[in-house]
Amino acid sequence: MLYDAKANIGQVKRDLKLVCAKSFLHYRTREQSELLIRKKDCPLQVQKGLLKIKEVSERLEHFLEGKGDYLTFEPQGTEVVWSQDLEQNMEVYHEIEDKLSSLDQGNIASTDLEKAISKDVDAYFASYVEELAQTTQKDMIAANIWEITNRLYDIAEQRLERTYNKKARFAFALHLQLTFERIRKNVPIVHPDLNRIRKKLKTEFQVALDLSTLIEEEMQIEIPFDEIGFISMFLSIQLGQKEQLPQSKVGIIVLMHGNSTVSSILSAAQELLGSTQGIAMDMSLDTSVNQMYQKLLNYVQENQSMFLNGLLLLTDMGSLNSFATLLYEETGIRTKAVSMTSTMIVIEALRMSEMGRSLEDIYQNIQISFETIVREQFQTEQENTYNKKAIVVTCFTGEGVAAKLYERIAAIVDQAKVEIIQMQFIERETFKKHIDSLLAEYEIKAIAGTVEVEYQNIPFFSAYDIFDDEKLKVLKSIVKDEIATETIVNSLEGSITHVDSLAILVETLKTIVQQAQSQMHIILEPSVEAGLVIHLAFLVEALRTSGINRQFSDLVAFQKKYRLEIDILKTSMISIEKNYDIQIPEDEIAYLTEAFIKNQIDTPFKLYTQN
């Protein structure tokens, strides 16, 4: 019991069964009079637990005192309590007996025979691994709910000619179980947008009507008409399949005062990049702000298809930044604005847009890469933004499943530092707008729910993931506490001497490392983050003094394979290169990229902006 059981009680059950089976095999092949469980019969991770004996010696003494070399257990009566399926519990023992009977023991030494069958026992228990991963999920749902869910989805697959994976089925089973509880308690079920669902999801709604009849007959329960709307929505989603992102890129409009200023800047940027991306709008000095806004609004409304992925306004004066909010209110197009624009900012915005980067990615990158240039604009914003971390929990009803997800997540986070926000999901674009409004106040670390949403590079966890202990650990890592700047500075004191302020350098590098994770859509442990910050600090020191010259193996092939990640880090390091008057070699960028990739935590999501 000293070892770390990855799948909790399910893991302990599996390991106990395995060690008993191996003991039984030893007992049968050696014709012993008792079952003897030996340390070497235990799986390796169990044996590793013995390394903790010194740490818990006092607790162990209570159990071991006076017991000698063996702990002996004898039946305390005739009654034996088995789990529901006796045959399944005894299956491995039957297999061992059958193997022994089929082999000629007279010609095979008992040790060889034991080794041969032991391999089969290991293979038998290895097959439990996949089942263990789902133990928590299965335990959450009653057997009859699982059964009817699978029947309903099998029918839906035929009627709608589509496939639903286990994540989608689990989300619906959990919803259905909670719905039955609400109905039995006479808690009303109200769909806030039923008419739109009936019109938008006509086919799914008809299938949902038929399925609700089946549920009523099977479960002897009356399904409210509003619930049919929720069933229709479940039938319209497929968890695990990537959302089809718009093919258009983020729109870039450069807006400046003067007769030809912006045209010249945009033309130069396009020529340098070999791009046709971007729109120039010159604002002559006799044009009023209202007239200019109307011109911009008309253009955006006439070309809405160009801005499905959002719009970035690059302006020369902060007063024009109000256009972003106005455009969003009038058109619903997500819009960001950056003032004090230079040719370099235009080039960087066009380049990232061409690569298919998201609006938030481009906006955040420009903040970091050109922090000196645009510090005045972003200073107030940064002081008021991201005051608190948050996790958004969502489902169609905003209750039920969301409440269950809340309970699981609340148990692993410090709610004094991370707020868990429950939100109803009715329509995708409306949900995204709600996320946009929250981003002004919170740093949203993850979204958990029944509908997969890929937005702003925020990691998504399905209901299935939240009830998987390993995936839940990933979520816990995402909202982790970072290692304090002061701690890192103290560790570097005396080693980094060629910078004006070690604290400023470390704080800047921490920001870069965290931002790079967000853009690459990867998660690093706090110790790895700190390690990368220290590595970068020493790199800056080396480049400011003796220099550095090491070769990255197969650099060209690596750069081709990880083009996006390398580009993210190159862009992130621009401010460091400028502020510390250094040039980071391509080989060092490759080593840094490799460090990020190799040290990432395995997550249930991937970088969806990558081809």
Side-chain angles (χ1 to χ4, degrees), residues 140-170:
M140 281 292 301
I141 312 295
N144 63 333
I145 303 293
W146 269 121
E147 182 184 355
I148 195 169
T149 293
N150 285 320
R151 283 175 56 197
L152 295 173
Y153 269 79
D154 289 345
I155 295 168
E157 284 186 341
Q158 290 183 338
R159 293 275 301 274
L160 297 171
E161 297 182 346
R162 65 184 66 152
T163 303
Y164 297 95
N165 63 20
K166 61 186 179 183
K167 289 186 177 183
R169 292 181 182 226
F170 173 77

PDB file of all heavy atoms in Angstrom, residues 140-170:
ATOM      1  N   MET A 140     -19.493   6.071 -12.684  1.00  0.00           N
ATOM      2  CA  MET A 140     -20.359   7.245 -12.552  1.00  0.00           C
ATOM      3  C   MET A 140     -21.767   6.983 -13.073  1.00  0.00           C
ATOM      4  O   MET A 140     -22.720   7.621 -12.656  1.00  0.00           O
ATOM      5  CB  MET A 140     -19.770   8.417 -13.352  1.00  0.00           C
ATOM      6  CG  MET A 140     -18.637   9.141 -12.688  1.00  0.00           C
ATOM      7  SD  MET A 140     -19.212  10.025 -11.230  1.00  0.00           S
ATOM      8  CE  MET A 140     -20.430  11.107 -11.971  1.00  0.00           C
ATOM      9  N   ILE A 141     -21.904   6.053 -14.019  1.00  0.00           N
ATOM     10  CA  ILE A 141     -23.174   5.847 -14.713  1.00  0.00           C
ATOM     11  C   ILE A 141     -23.760   4.495 -14.344  1.00  0.00           C
ATOM     12  O   ILE A 141     -23.069   3.477 -14.380  1.00  0.00           O
ATOM     13  CB  ILE A 141     -22.981   5.909 -16.253  1.00  0.00           C
ATOM     14  CG1 ILE A 141     -22.162   7.140 -16.662  1.00  0.00           C
ATOM     15  CG2 ILE A 141     -24.327   5.889 -16.960  1.00  0.00           C
ATOM     16  CD1 ILE A 141     -22.822   8.458 -16.382  1.00  0.00           C
ATOM     17  N   ALA A 142     -25.058   4.473 -14.022  1.00  0.00           N
ATOM     18  CA  ALA A 142     -25.740   3.219 -13.716  1.00  0.00           C
ATOM     19  C   ALA A 142     -25.752   2.324 -14.951  1.00  0.00           C
ATOM     20  O   ALA A 142     -25.811   2.819 -16.091  1.00  0.00           O
ATOM     21  CB  ALA A 142     -27.167   3.507 -13.248  1.00  0.00           C
ATOM     22  N   ALA A 143     -25.715   1.016 -14.733  1.00  0.00           N
ATOM     23  CA  ALA A 143     -25.637   0.060 -15.851  1.00  0.00           C
ATOM     24  C   ALA A 143     -26.808   0.216 -16.824  1.00  0.00           C
ATOM     25  O   ALA A 143     -26.627   0.155 -18.043  1.00  0.00           O
ATOM     26  CB  ALA A 143     -25.593  -1.372 -15.293  1.00  0.00           C
ATOM     27  N   ASN A 144     -28.014   0.428 -16.283  1.00  0.00           N
ATOM     28  CA  ASN A 144     -29.170   0.550 -17.183  1.00  0.00           C
ATOM     29  C   ASN A 144     -29.120   1.827 -18.023  1.00  0.00           C
ATOM     30  O   ASN A 144     -29.618   1.863 -19.149  1.00  0.00           O
ATOM     31  CB  ASN A 144     -30.475   0.480 -16.393  1.00  0.00           C
ATOM     32  CG  ASN A 144     -30.625   1.621 -15.397  1.00  0.00           C
ATOM     33  OD1 ASN A 144     -29.629   2.163 -14.917  1.00  0.00           O
ATOM     34  ND2 ASN A 144     -31.857   1.990 -15.073  1.00  0.00           N
ATOM     35  N   ILE A 145     -28.468   2.882 -17.474  1.00  0.00           N
ATOM     36  CA  ILE A 145     -28.316   4.125 -18.243  1.00  0.00           C
ATOM     37  C   ILE A 145     -27.330   3.906 -19.393  1.00  0.00           C
ATOM     38  O   ILE A 145     -27.551   4.354 -20.517  1.00  0.00           O
ATOM     39  CB  ILE A 145     -27.825   5.282 -17.348  1.00  0.00           C
ATOM     40  CG1 ILE A 145     -28.779   5.505 -16.172  1.00  0.00           C
ATOM     41  CG2 ILE A 145     -27.660   6.565 -18.169  1.00  0.00           C
ATOM     42  CD1 ILE A 145     -30.137   6.012 -16.551  1.00  0.00           C
ATOM     43  N   TRP A 146     -26.230   3.209 -19.092  1.00  0.00           N
ATOM     44  CA  TRP A 146     -25.264   2.881 -20.156  1.00  0.00           C
ATOM     45  C   TRP A 146     -25.943   2.076 -21.256  1.00  0.00           C
ATOM     46  O   TRP A 146     -25.743   2.325 -22.449  1.00  0.00           O
ATOM     47  CB  TRP A 146     -24.100   2.056 -19.581  1.00  0.00           C
ATOM     48  CG  TRP A 146     -22.940   2.850 -19.111  1.00  0.00           C
ATOM     49  CD1 TRP A 146     -22.418   2.878 -17.854  1.00  0.00           C
ATOM     50  CD2 TRP A 146     -22.120   3.749 -19.882  1.00  0.00           C
ATOM     51  NE1 TRP A 146     -21.338   3.736 -17.786  1.00  0.00           N
ATOM     52  CE2 TRP A 146     -21.145   4.273 -19.013  1.00  0.00           C
ATOM     53  CE3 TRP A 146     -22.141   4.156 -21.208  1.00  0.00           C
ATOM     54  CZ2 TRP A 146     -20.175   5.190 -19.441  1.00  0.00           C
ATOM     55  CZ3 TRP A 146     -21.178   5.073 -21.639  1.00  0.00           C
ATOM     56  CH2 TRP A 146     -20.221   5.577 -20.763  1.00  0.00           C
ATOM     57  N   GLU A 147     -26.728   1.110 -20.840  1.00  0.00           N
ATOM     58  CA  GLU A 147     -27.372   0.226 -21.811  1.00  0.00           C
ATOM     59  C   GLU A 147     -28.303   1.011 -22.734  1.00  0.00           C
ATOM     60  O   GLU A 147     -28.245   0.879 -23.959  1.00  0.00           O
ATOM     61  CB  GLU A 147     -28.155  -0.871 -21.074  1.00  0.00           C
ATOM     62  CG  GLU A 147     -28.818  -1.864 -22.018  1.00  0.00           C
ATOM     63  CD  GLU A 147     -29.673  -2.884 -21.283  1.00  0.00           C
ATOM     64  OE1 GLU A 147     -29.670  -2.884 -20.033  1.00  0.00           O
ATOM     65  OE2 GLU A 147     -30.358  -3.666 -21.960  1.00  0.00           O
ATOM     66  N   ILE A 148     -29.163   1.841 -22.143  1.00  0.00           N
ATOM     67  CA  ILE A 148     -30.118   2.572 -22.979  1.00  0.00           C
ATOM     68  C   ILE A 148     -29.413   3.642 -23.814  1.00  0.00           C
ATOM     69  O   ILE A 148     -29.789   3.905 -24.956  1.00  0.00           O
ATOM     70  CB  ILE A 148     -31.274   3.184 -22.139  1.00  0.00           C
ATOM     71  CG1 ILE A 148     -32.411   3.597 -23.085  1.00  0.00           C
ATOM     72  CG2 ILE A 148     -30.787   4.362 -21.296  1.00  0.00           C
ATOM     73  CD1 ILE A 148     -33.692   3.952 -22.364  1.00  0.00           C
ATOM     74  N   THR A 149     -28.349   4.237 -23.263  1.00  0.00           N
ATOM     75  CA  THR A 149     -27.582   5.230 -24.037  1.00  0.00           C
ATOM     76  C   THR A 149     -27.011   4.599 -25.300  1.00  0.00           C
ATOM     77  O   THR A 149     -27.131   5.159 -26.404  1.00  0.00           O
ATOM     78  CB  THR A 149     -26.431   5.799 -23.188  1.00  0.00           C
ATOM     79  OG1 THR A 149     -26.971   6.558 -22.115  1.00  0.00           O
ATOM     80  CG2 THR A 149     -25.531   6.719 -24.035  1.00  0.00           C
ATOM     81  N   ASN A 150     -26.395   3.438 -25.159  1.00  0.00           N
ATOM     82  CA  ASN A 150     -25.809   2.775 -26.322  1.00  0.00           C
ATOM     83  C   ASN A 150     -26.871   2.353 -27.328  1.00  0.00           C
ATOM     84  O   ASN A 150     -26.667   2.447 -28.546  1.00  0.00           O
ATOM     85  CB  ASN A 150     -24.974   1.570 -25.881  1.00  0.00           C
ATOM     86  CG  ASN A 150     -23.641   1.989 -25.269  1.00  0.00           C
ATOM     87  OD1 ASN A 150     -23.002   2.914 -25.745  1.00  0.00           O
ATOM     88  ND2 ASN A 150     -23.240   1.333 -24.188  1.00  0.00           N
ATOM     89  N   ARG A 151     -28.036   1.918 -26.837  1.00  0.00           N
ATOM     90  CA  ARG A 151     -29.130   1.569 -27.755  1.00  0.00           C
ATOM     91  C   ARG A 151     -29.608   2.791 -28.517  1.00  0.00           C
ATOM     92  O   ARG A 151     -29.828   2.749 -29.732  1.00  0.00           O
ATOM     93  CB  ARG A 151     -30.285   0.952 -26.960  1.00  0.00           C
ATOM     94  CG  ARG A 151     -30.031  -0.505 -26.559  1.00  0.00           C
ATOM     95  CD  ARG A 151     -31.143  -1.028 -25.674  1.00  0.00           C
ATOM     96  NE  ARG A 151     -32.453  -0.896 -26.317  1.00  0.00           N
ATOM     97  CZ  ARG A 151     -33.609  -0.976 -25.659  1.00  0.00           C
ATOM     98  NH1 ARG A 151     -33.614  -1.161 -24.345  1.00  0.00           N
ATOM     99  NH2 ARG A 151     -34.745  -0.861 -26.307  1.00  0.00           N
ATOM    100  N   LEU A 152     -29.767   3.900 -27.795  1.00  0.00           N
ATOM    101  CA  LEU A 152     -30.235   5.142 -28.431  1.00  0.00           C
ATOM    102  C   LEU A 152     -29.242   5.623 -29.487  1.00  0.00           C
ATOM    103  O   LEU A 152     -29.626   6.015 -30.588  1.00  0.00           O
ATOM    104  CB  LEU A 152     -30.428   6.234 -27.376  1.00  0.00           C
ATOM    105  CG  LEU A 152     -31.522   5.995 -26.321  1.00  0.00           C
ATOM    106  CD1 LEU A 152     -31.470   7.084 -25.253  1.00  0.00           C
ATOM    107  CD2 LEU A 152     -32.892   5.952 -26.968  1.00  0.00           C
ATOM    108  N   TYR A 153     -27.950   5.579 -29.141  1.00  0.00           N
ATOM    109  CA  TYR A 153     -26.944   6.070 -30.076  1.00  0.00           C
ATOM    110  C   TYR A 153     -26.755   5.130 -31.264  1.00  0.00           C
ATOM    111  O   TYR A 153     -26.420   5.571 -32.365  1.00  0.00           O
ATOM    112  CB  TYR A 153     -25.620   6.325 -29.349  1.00  0.00           C
ATOM    113  CG  TYR A 153     -25.508   7.742 -28.842  1.00  0.00           C
ATOM    114  CD1 TYR A 153     -26.153   8.131 -27.672  1.00  0.00           C
ATOM    115  CD2 TYR A 153     -24.807   8.708 -29.544  1.00  0.00           C
ATOM    116  CE1 TYR A 153     -26.084   9.436 -27.212  1.00  0.00           C
ATOM    117  CE2 TYR A 153     -24.726  10.010 -29.089  1.00  0.00           C
ATOM    118  CZ  TYR A 153     -25.369  10.374 -27.928  1.00  0.00           C
ATOM    119  OH  TYR A 153     -25.300  11.675 -27.485  1.00  0.00           O
ATOM    120  N   ASP A 154     -26.956   3.843 -31.057  1.00  0.00           N
ATOM    121  CA  ASP A 154     -26.901   2.905 -32.190  1.00  0.00           C
ATOM    122  C   ASP A 154     -28.012   3.220 -33.188  1.00  0.00           C
ATOM    123  O   ASP A 154     -27.806   3.203 -34.410  1.00  0.00           O
ATOM    124  CB  ASP A 154     -27.030   1.458 -31.699  1.00  0.00           C
ATOM    125  CG  ASP A 154     -25.788   0.984 -30.958  1.00  0.00           C
ATOM    126  OD1 ASP A 154     -24.736   1.656 -31.079  1.00  0.00           O
ATOM    127  OD2 ASP A 154     -25.866  -0.031 -30.243  1.00  0.00           O
ATOM    128  N   ILE A 155     -29.203   3.521 -32.649  1.00  0.00           N
ATOM    129  CA  ILE A 155     -30.332   3.905 -33.519  1.00  0.00           C
ATOM    130  C   ILE A 155     -30.021   5.217 -34.233  1.00  0.00           C
ATOM    131  O   ILE A 155     -30.227   5.360 -35.438  1.00  0.00           O
ATOM    132  CB  ILE A 155     -31.630   4.031 -32.695  1.00  0.00           C
ATOM    133  CG1 ILE A 155     -32.042   2.672 -32.133  1.00  0.00           C
ATOM    134  CG2 ILE A 155     -32.756   4.643 -33.536  1.00  0.00           C
ATOM    135  CD1 ILE A 155     -33.138   2.729 -31.087  1.00  0.00           C
ATOM    136  N   ALA A 156     -29.502   6.192 -33.455  1.00  0.00           N
ATOM    137  CA  ALA A 156     -29.194   7.507 -34.030  1.00  0.00           C
ATOM    138  C   ALA A 156     -28.138   7.402 -35.129  1.00  0.00           C
ATOM    139  O   ALA A 156     -28.214   8.102 -36.149  1.00  0.00           O
ATOM    140  CB  ALA A 156     -28.711   8.450 -32.928  1.00  0.00           C
ATOM    141  N   GLU A 157     -27.149   6.537 -34.932  1.00  0.00           N
ATOM    142  CA  GLU A 157     -26.106   6.369 -35.951  1.00  0.00           C
ATOM    143  C   GLU A 157     -26.700   5.891 -37.271  1.00  0.00           C
ATOM    144  O   GLU A 157     -26.295   6.342 -38.349  1.00  0.00           O
ATOM    145  CB  GLU A 157     -25.047   5.370 -35.463  1.00  0.00           C
ATOM    146  CG  GLU A 157     -24.109   5.959 -34.422  1.00  0.00           C
ATOM    147  CD  GLU A 157     -22.972   5.018 -34.060  1.00  0.00           C
ATOM    148  OE1 GLU A 157     -23.086   3.797 -34.311  1.00  0.00           O
ATOM    149  OE2 GLU A 157     -21.951   5.507 -33.528  1.00  0.00           O
ATOM    150  N   GLN A 158     -27.679   4.973 -37.183  1.00  0.00           N
ATOM    151  CA  GLN A 158     -28.319   4.477 -38.404  1.00  0.00           C
ATOM    152  C   GLN A 158     -29.202   5.547 -39.042  1.00  0.00           C
ATOM    153  O   GLN A 158     -29.154   5.770 -40.258  1.00  0.00           O
ATOM    154  CB  GLN A 158     -29.163   3.238 -38.086  1.00  0.00           C
ATOM    155  CG  GLN A 158     -28.319   2.010 -37.722  1.00  0.00           C
ATOM    156  CD  GLN A 158     -29.193   0.789 -37.488  1.00  0.00           C
ATOM    157  OE1 GLN A 158     -30.388   0.905 -37.202  1.00  0.00           O
ATOM    158  NE2 GLN A 158     -28.596  -0.393 -37.605  1.00  0.00           N
ATOM    159  N   ARG A 159     -29.987   6.209 -38.223  1.00  0.00           N
ATOM    160  CA  ARG A 159     -30.941   7.195 -38.752  1.00  0.00           C
ATOM    161  C   ARG A 159     -30.242   8.422 -39.317  1.00  0.00           C
ATOM    162  O   ARG A 159     -30.677   8.990 -40.329  1.00  0.00           O
ATOM    163  CB  ARG A 159     -31.906   7.618 -37.628  1.00  0.00           C
ATOM    164  CG  ARG A 159     -32.845   6.515 -37.140  1.00  0.00           C
ATOM    165  CD  ARG A 159     -34.103   6.414 -37.990  1.00  0.00           C
ATOM    166  NE  ARG A 159     -34.855   7.656 -38.000  1.00  0.00           N
ATOM    167  CZ  ARG A 159     -35.760   7.996 -37.071  1.00  0.00           C
ATOM    168  NH1 ARG A 159     -35.986   7.179 -36.052  1.00  0.00           N
ATOM    169  NH2 ARG A 159     -36.417   9.138 -37.157  1.00  0.00           N
ATOM    170  N   LEU A 160     -29.169   8.865 -38.633  1.00  0.00           N
ATOM    171  CA  LEU A 160     -28.493  10.109 -39.025  1.00  0.00           C
ATOM    172  C   LEU A 160     -27.238   9.858 -39.865  1.00  0.00           C
ATOM    173  O   LEU A 160     -26.585  10.814 -40.310  1.00  0.00           O
ATOM    174  CB  LEU A 160     -28.121  10.913 -37.773  1.00  0.00           C
ATOM    175  CG  LEU A 160     -29.303  11.385 -36.914  1.00  0.00           C
ATOM    176  CD1 LEU A 160     -28.809  11.963 -35.595  1.00  0.00           C
ATOM    177  CD2 LEU A 160     -30.137  12.408 -37.668  1.00  0.00           C
ATOM    178  N   GLU A 161     -26.902   8.569 -40.046  1.00  0.00           N
ATOM    179  CA  GLU A 161     -25.740   8.178 -40.860  1.00  0.00           C
ATOM    180  C   GLU A 161     -24.460   8.886 -40.400  1.00  0.00           C
ATOM    181  O   GLU A 161     -23.745   9.516 -41.167  1.00  0.00           O
ATOM    182  CB  GLU A 161     -25.994   8.467 -42.348  1.00  0.00           C
ATOM    183  CG  GLU A 161     -27.148   7.663 -42.917  1.00  0.00           C
ATOM    184  CD  GLU A 161     -27.348   7.932 -44.398  1.00  0.00           C
ATOM    185  OE1 GLU A 161     -26.774   8.927 -44.896  1.00  0.00           O
ATOM    186  OE2 GLU A 161     -28.054   7.149 -45.050  1.00  0.00           O
ATOM    187  N   ARG A 162     -24.203   8.792 -39.115  1.00  0.00           N
ATOM    188  CA  ARG A 162     -22.971   9.345 -38.547  1.00  0.00           C
ATOM    189  C   ARG A 162     -22.521   8.462 -37.387  1.00  0.00           C
ATOM    190  O   ARG A 162     -23.263   7.585 -36.958  1.00  0.00           O
ATOM    191  CB  ARG A 162     -23.176  10.793 -38.083  1.00  0.00           C
ATOM    192  CG  ARG A 162     -24.141  10.966 -36.938  1.00  0.00           C
ATOM    193  CD  ARG A 162     -24.369  12.431 -36.584  1.00  0.00           C
ATOM    194  NE  ARG A 162     -25.050  13.151 -37.652  1.00  0.00           N
ATOM    195  CZ  ARG A 162     -25.820  14.217 -37.448  1.00  0.00           C
ATOM    196  NH1 ARG A 162     -25.969  14.692 -36.224  1.00  0.00           N
ATOM    197  NH2 ARG A 162     -26.406  14.827 -38.440  1.00  0.00           N
ATOM    198  N   THR A 163     -21.299   8.674 -36.933  1.00  0.00           N
ATOM    199  CA  THR A 163     -20.729   7.843 -35.870  1.00  0.00           C
ATOM    200  C   THR A 163     -20.504   8.681 -34.620  1.00  0.00           C
ATOM    201  O   THR A 163     -20.046   9.823 -34.700  1.00  0.00           O
ATOM    202  CB  THR A 163     -19.378   7.243 -36.334  1.00  0.00           C
ATOM    203  OG1 THR A 163     -19.602   6.505 -37.528  1.00  0.00           O
ATOM    204  CG2 THR A 163     -18.814   6.315 -35.264  1.00  0.00           C
ATOM    205  N   TYR A 164     -20.842   8.106 -33.473  1.00  0.00           N
ATOM    206  CA  TYR A 164     -20.623   8.787 -32.192  1.00  0.00           C
ATOM    207  C   TYR A 164     -19.594   7.995 -31.383  1.00  0.00           C
ATOM    208  O   TYR A 164     -19.737   6.788 -31.194  1.00  0.00           O
ATOM    209  CB  TYR A 164     -21.927   8.870 -31.392  1.00  0.00           C
ATOM    210  CG  TYR A 164     -23.001   9.683 -32.072  1.00  0.00           C
ATOM    211  CD1 TYR A 164     -23.972   9.065 -32.853  1.00  0.00           C
ATOM    212  CD2 TYR A 164     -23.038  11.073 -31.945  1.00  0.00           C
ATOM    213  CE1 TYR A 164     -24.958   9.805 -33.486  1.00  0.00           C
ATOM    214  CE2 TYR A 164     -24.018  11.817 -32.580  1.00  0.00           C
ATOM    215  CZ  TYR A 164     -24.977  11.184 -33.349  1.00  0.00           C
ATOM    216  OH  TYR A 164     -25.943  11.932 -33.977  1.00  0.00           O
ATOM    217  N   ASN A 165     -18.553   8.677 -30.911  1.00  0.00           N
ATOM    218  CA  ASN A 165     -17.511   7.983 -30.149  1.00  0.00           C
ATOM    219  C   ASN A 165     -17.892   7.884 -28.671  1.00  0.00           C
ATOM    220  O   ASN A 165     -18.928   8.373 -28.229  1.00  0.00           O
ATOM    221  CB  ASN A 165     -16.147   8.655 -30.340  1.00  0.00           C
ATOM    222  CG  ASN A 165     -16.128  10.085 -29.813  1.00  0.00           C
ATOM    223  OD1 ASN A 165     -16.963  10.479 -28.993  1.00  0.00           O
ATOM    224  ND2 ASN A 165     -15.183  10.870 -30.276  1.00  0.00           N
ATOM    225  N   LYS A 166     -17.009   7.237 -27.894  1.00  0.00           N
ATOM    226  CA  LYS A 166     -17.316   6.966 -26.490  1.00  0.00           C
ATOM    227  C   LYS A 166     -17.424   8.248 -25.664  1.00  0.00           C
ATOM    228  O   LYS A 166     -18.164   8.304 -24.681  1.00  0.00           O
ATOM    229  CB  LYS A 166     -16.270   6.034 -25.877  1.00  0.00           C
ATOM    230  CG  LYS A 166     -14.852   6.571 -25.876  1.00  0.00           C
ATOM    231  CD  LYS A 166     -13.869   5.519 -25.375  1.00  0.00           C
ATOM    232  CE  LYS A 166     -12.437   6.048 -25.408  1.00  0.00           C
ATOM    233  NZ  LYS A 166     -11.463   5.009 -24.990  1.00  0.00           N
ATOM    234  N   LYS A 167     -16.691   9.314 -26.075  1.00  0.00           N
ATOM    235  CA  LYS A 167     -16.773  10.574 -25.332  1.00  0.00           C
ATOM    236  C   LYS A 167     -18.164  11.181 -25.465  1.00  0.00           C
ATOM    237  O   LYS A 167     -18.734  11.688 -24.495  1.00  0.00           O
ATOM    238  CB  LYS A 167     -15.718  11.558 -25.839  1.00  0.00           C
ATOM    239  CG  LYS A 167     -14.292  11.198 -25.471  1.00  0.00           C
ATOM    240  CD  LYS A 167     -13.334  12.298 -25.872  1.00  0.00           C
ATOM    241  CE  LYS A 167     -11.915  11.985 -25.432  1.00  0.00           C
ATOM    242  NZ  LYS A 167     -10.985  13.087 -25.763  1.00  0.00           N
ATOM    243  N   ALA A 168     -18.722  11.139 -26.680  1.00  0.00           N
ATOM    244  CA  ALA A 168     -20.054  11.694 -26.903  1.00  0.00           C
ATOM    245  C   ALA A 168     -21.092  10.882 -26.138  1.00  0.00           C
ATOM    246  O   ALA A 168     -22.014  11.432 -25.528  1.00  0.00           O
ATOM    247  CB  ALA A 168     -20.378  11.707 -28.395  1.00  0.00           C
ATOM    248  N   ARG A 169     -20.947   9.559 -26.170  1.00  0.00           N
ATOM    249  CA  ARG A 169     -21.901   8.695 -25.478  1.00  0.00           C
ATOM    250  C   ARG A 169     -21.834   8.896 -23.955  1.00  0.00           C
ATOM    251  O   ARG A 169     -22.859   8.902 -23.284  1.00  0.00           O
ATOM    252  CB  ARG A 169     -21.635   7.226 -25.841  1.00  0.00           C
ATOM    253  CG  ARG A 169     -21.953   6.919 -27.306  1.00  0.00           C
ATOM    254  CD  ARG A 169     -21.715   5.460 -27.656  1.00  0.00           C
ATOM    255  NE  ARG A 169     -21.996   5.221 -29.074  1.00  0.00           N
ATOM    256  CZ  ARG A 169     -22.707   4.203 -29.547  1.00  0.00           C
ATOM    257  NH1 ARG A 169     -23.223   3.316 -28.708  1.00  0.00           N
ATOM    258  NH2 ARG A 169     -22.911   4.051 -30.833  1.00  0.00           N
ATOM    259  N   PHE A 170     -20.613   9.050 -23.435  1.00  0.00           N
ATOM    260  CA  PHE A 170     -20.474   9.269 -21.998  1.00  0.00           C
ATOM    261  C   PHE A 170     -21.145  10.576 -21.579  1.00  0.00           C
ATOM    262  O   PHE A 170     -21.858  10.622 -20.560  1.00  0.00           O
ATOM    263  CB  PHE A 170     -18.996   9.296 -21.603  1.00  0.00           C
ATOM    264  CG  PHE A 170     -18.776   9.684 -20.164  1.00  0.00           C
ATOM    265  CD1 PHE A 170     -18.998   8.772 -19.149  1.00  0.00           C
ATOM    266  CD2 PHE A 170     -18.391  10.965 -19.825  1.00  0.00           C
ATOM    267  CE1 PHE A 170     -18.813   9.129 -17.818  1.00  0.00           C
ATOM    268  CE2 PHE A 170     -18.207  11.335 -18.496  1.00  0.00           C
ATOM    269  CZ  PHE A 170     -18.419  10.399 -17.499  1.00  0.00           C
TER     270      PHE A 170
END
